[in-house]
Amino acid sequence: MKITQENKQWLNDFNLTHPLVIAGPCSAETEEQVMKIAHELKNSDVSIFRAGIWKPRTRPGGFEGVGAIGLKWLQKAKAETGLLMATEVANATHVKLALEHDIDVLWIGARTTVNPFAVQEIADALQNTDKIVLVKNPVNPDLALWLGGVERLYNTGIKKLGVIHRGFSTYEKTKYRNIPEWQIPIELQNKFPDLVLICDPSHITGRRDMIQEVSQQALDLNYNGLMIETHTDPDNAWSDAAQQVTPSVLKKIFEDLKVKETHVEADDYNTEMIKLRANIDIADSKLLEILGYRMKVAEQIGALKKENNVAVLQNKRWNEILGKMILDGEEKGLSEEFILRIFKAIHQESITHQEKIINS
Ligand code: PEP
Ligand code: MN
């Protein structure tokens, strides 16, 4: 796949002096609700209005979307406000209906990106159209699967492409609804600098009080735009109530966001940045060296356990280590969440090394 400036042209055509904003409710609920929100977003930084028409719910019994009737409301909202309209599609029937109702932007949801059959079906249904198509990351942290989805659209000849980062599911409880794993979109950006990258802080955080912070992080990482769920009565929204903001809060968020320059000419800045990056490189190589050493020690422990016929996993010892590390980490300004994640990974790798010795 060769993503070029051509694939980004649709974004340049908006001629914006700020990042692209897609906003609107999680779900279209009623005609009045759609019209009210669209009108409140009309004279703002918002270029594209979003609303889910078909909602993939984790469990049956939740609100599953109003269905095709909602597409008529979006058409009306477009006629009255001039905003482009975006909705989620999960199969060929959705695509057909969305095309019939002149929807401008189609996005593939996180639960659909995981399924190559569904993505291919959507790509085929979109053949020979010139719609803007955005692919949300799959629910699991798998960059290849995400890019595979984009590639299926690309191979079908769809030119106006982009991706939406909405975070990843975890079994562990964190402060996020879906953890960002920023390194994944960063790697994607390095591989495909011309692929339009949009952040969805609403589904990453699941909480309206964290939208500003995560949006700013995305802009600091040079994302091209934001998709933010917006509702005139968030608390009574039929889906994702906790994460939606009102149009006026959205406008306040825009005012407070700082858009950084990608390239600053100042020499002082460049010199200082080169120095700081060199320090980071040194710290990273020290980290690797010390991790390599730790695994060697784990192998020696493995050898000793083998000689004495002792089990690899010793839970009591592990819980003691973890408790101590959380306290030590706190002193160094490291969060408990970070310590838990990093030591879990280190522990896992140590077990692998020990097992290699024990089973040899
Ligand atoms: C949505 O945008 O409302 C949605 C269902 O998102 P996701 O696919 O990211 O869960
Ligand atoms: Mn939602």
Side-chain angles (χ1 to χ4, degrees):
M1 177 167 65
K2 207 168 169 335
I3 298 285
T4 64
Q5 274 289 330
E6 187 191 5
N7 303 103
K8 198 183 179 179
Q9 193 52 43
W10 66 269
L11 176 63
N12 300 337
D13 288 345
F14 281 103
N15 270 317
L16 300 173
T17 53
H18 54 77
L20 175 75
V21 186
I22 305 172
C26 177
S27 306
E29 297 166 3
T30 64
E31 181 172 341
E32 295 68 40
Q33 175 244 20
V34 167
M35 302 316 289
K36 189 158 189 259
I37 302 171
H39 275 283
E40 289 202 22
L41 295 176
K42 186 176 152 193
N43 293 312
S44 70
D45 284 354
V46 176
S47 305
I48 304 174
F49 182 84
R50 65 149 282 157
I53 295 292
W54 300 282
K55 302 302 298 177
R57 303 316 297 264
T58 303
R59 295 183 54 222
F63 171 58
E64 300 200 327
V66 292
I69 179 122
L71 295 168
K72 297 226 185 327
W73 310 337
L74 296 188
Q75 265 184 311
K76 187 171 169 199
K78 177 166 152 177
E80 288 189 14
T81 64
L83 291 166
L84 296 190
M85 293 292 135
T87 201
E88 172 174 347
V89 290
N91 59 41
T93 311
H94 295 166
V95 173
K96 183 171 168 284
L97 287 164
L99 294 175
E100 281 170 14
H101 291 82
D102 217 15
I103 299 298
D104 309 281
V105 180
L106 308 171
W107 83 81
I108 299 181
R111 292 164 195 74
T112 305
T113 308
V114 291
N115 180 351
F117 291 130
V119 177
Q120 190 60 51
E121 178 183 319
I122 293 167
D124 292 341
L126 281 166
Q127 200 160 23
N128 303 321
T129 68
D130 70 342
K131 296 296 174 184
I132 299 167
V133 188
L134 307 175
V135 183
K136 284 200 168 196
N137 65 257
V139 285
N140 55 321
D142 185 339
L143 178 56
L145 188 60
W146 192 4
L147 285 172
V150 178
E151 201 170 358
R152 284 176 197 279
L153 297 162
Y154 178 92
N155 288 347
T156 321
I158 294 156
K159 297 272 188 297
K160 300 178 182 174
L161 287 167
V163 292
I164 302 173
H165 171 220
R166 50 77 80 196
F168 302 90
S169 290
T170 49
Y171 183 61
E172 297 152 69
K173 285 259 166 296
T174 73
K175 65 174 177 174
Y176 299 101
R177 178 178 177 194
N178 293 291
I179 52 167
E181 304 278 20
W182 295 104
Q183 71 282 7
I184 296 178
I186 290 172
E187 192 179 331
L188 179 144
Q189 212 176 19
N190 287 339
K191 278 191 174 143
F192 298 100
D194 290 322
L195 186 55
V196 172
L197 174 60
I198 293 166
C199 181
D200 172 346
S202 308
H203 290 89
I204 289 178
T205 64
R207 303 173 28 172
R208 63 180 71 104
D209 64 339
M210 284 173 68
I211 305 281
Q212 167 89 38
E213 170 192 333
V214 170
S215 300
Q216 186 63 61
Q217 278 179 295
L219 297 191
D220 292 347
L221 292 166
N222 298 320
Y223 279 53
N224 303 102
L226 299 167
M227 179 190 253
I228 301 179
E229 285 189 344
T230 311
H231 196 292
T232 40
D233 185 8
D235 285 333
N236 292 306
W238 295 4
S239 58
D240 288 351
Q243 71 195 29
Q244 305 204 53
V245 295
T246 60
S248 59
V249 168
L250 184 73
K251 288 173 198 168
K252 176 81 174 77
I253 290 175
F254 296 155
E255 275 169 31
D256 294 345
L257 285 174
K258 292 179 197 60
V259 182
K260 300 241 159 59
E261 297 290 328
T262 325
H263 301 287
V264 182
E265 292 302 337
D267 261 4
D268 285 352
Y269 165 83
N270 287 326
T271 325
E272 192 58 22
M273 188 51 92
I274 288 167
K275 264 200 298 206
L276 291 173
R277 288 201 166 132
N279 287 346
I280 290 276
D281 291 349
I282 292 167
D284 285 348
S285 86
K286 278 189 187 159
L287 276 174
L288 288 181
E289 201 176 306
I290 202 84
L291 284 171
Y293 168 75
R294 194 191 190 285
M295 296 310 150
K296 287 274 174 298
V297 177
E299 285 174 18
Q300 289 167 1
I301 292 178
L304 196 61
K305 283 181 180 167
K306 184 179 184 177
E307 265 176 55
N308 293 281
N309 211 17
V310 175
V312 169
L313 193 60
Q314 310 261 304
N315 267 321
K316 183 162 168 290
R317 156 94 180 133
W318 173 238
N319 287 331
E320 282 167 8
I321 297 189
L322 214 49
K324 184 174 178 315
M325 288 305 156
I326 289 170
L327 288 178
D328 288 359
E330 207 166 62
E331 261 179 36
K332 296 184 168 59
L334 305 172
S335 72
E336 174 169 341
E337 192 191 336
F338 174 67
I339 295 290
L340 283 172
R341 291 183 68 198
I342 199 162
F343 275 93
K344 218 178 204 176
I346 291 174
H347 187 222
Q348 194 56 53
E349 181 74 2
S350 289
I351 290 176
T352 308
H353 279 255
Q354 286 193 21
E355 260 165 358
K356 202 173 70 197
I357 298 293
I358 290 179
N359 298 326
S360 64

